[in-house]
Amino acid sequence: MMFDLAEKLEFTETSEDRRVLDALAHAQRHQSARGEYITAFDEEGKEVDISFATQNWRKAVVDKTRTGQFVRKHFEAMVFTALAEELRTGDVAVVGSEEYADWSRQLLDWEVVKEKLGTYLVEVGLCEEGEPPRSTRSPSAGSWRTSSPRPQRRRMPGTRTTRAWSSTPRPESRR
């Protein structure tokens, strides 16, 4: 079922790291293998990189008695587990999906953000109408939070003051 689903979806990496997708392609090429083992090498003769997996997965996938071979079922389980995690974290995206889309392609250009920033800040109550956003007024390149005054500390009623040692005697505690 997982192979059928993976065949219908088009996955894309959202970073330079293609290890999971390459391992998925390797598993798909050997999907119809009948044996318990599949080769650990791709079509170019390079070893399939499984360094994305935990040490426990790598131990389960590699059979020490069969050099250059993966235990097929364990390899498939490892690949689909890693693929699910990559989808969850956004390191792999599904083309045409909203929930598993490549978020970096959905971001607005900075020029568009700058145009809309003033209106947005007024809308959420962080700026008054006609007042320039703090990020454009501030001479520093930091965020607007760095130029905001620090709120005064408050203490809970019944707690001691900030002085660590008070001259007022403490009441005896009950035992």
Side-chain angles (χ1 to χ4, degrees):
M1 184 168 90
M2 295 301 290
F3 280 112
D4 291 340
L5 181 63
E7 194 174 299
K8 289 177 177 38
L9 298 174
E10 183 183 346
F11 298 105
T12 183
E13 74 278 359
T14 60
S15 67
E16 305 272 325
D17 189 2
R18 285 200 47 89
R19 294 175 300 172
V20 173
L21 293 181
D22 291 342
L24 174 63
H26 186 72
Q28 287 174 316
R29 280 191 297 277
H30 297 283
Q31 174 184 354
S32 59
R34 293 182 182 234
E36 198 175 321
Y37 300 94
I38 60 172
T39 181
F41 300 95
D42 62 14
E43 308 78 50
E44 299 167 1
K46 292 181 0 187
E47 191 169 355
V48 176
D49 186 359
I50 59 169
S51 62
F52 60 86
T54 64
Q55 185 176 3
N56 287 339
W57 269 119
R58 290 192 303 258
K59 283 181 182 178
V61 166
V62 176
D63 187 344
K64 290 181 182 180
T65 63
R66 294 184 173 255
T67 306
Q69 301 276 309
F70 290 140
V71 180
R72 185 175 58 87
K73 297 234 182 239
H74 295 177
F75 180 76
E76 292 168 358
M78 175 194 69
V79 167
F80 286 116
T81 300
L83 179 61
E85 180 64 15
E86 296 279 297
L87 285 166
R88 186 188 70 75
T89 60
D91 292 332
V92 170
V94 177
V95 175
S97 168
E98 285 186 29
E99 188 161 342
Y100 298 104
D102 184 354
W103 61 267
S104 66
R105 297 182 194 268
Q106 296 176 350
L107 297 175
L108 297 173
D109 289 329
W110 176 242
E111 295 305 317
V112 175
V113 171
K114 277 191 347 187
E115 288 175 20
K116 298 180 178 205
L117 183 61
T119 308
Y120 173 75
L121 291 175
V122 169
E123 190 177 306
V124 297
L126 293 175
C127 193
E128 296 294 324
E129 186 72 42
E131 180 184 349
R134 290 181 183 172
S135 63
T136 59
R137 312 187 288 220
S138 174
S140 70
S143 74
W144 64 271
R145 288 187 181 120
T146 59
S147 61
S148 298
R150 189 174 194 157
Q152 189 176 26
R153 288 185 147 187
R154 295 183 180 166
R155 63 181 186 91
M156 296 293 295
T159 59
R160 292 203 282 163
T161 61
T162 56
R163 292 189 316 188
W165 304 100
S166 175
S167 60
T168 311
R170 296 172 82 188
E172 291 293 322
S173 61
R174 292 184 190 174
R175 291 191 181 209

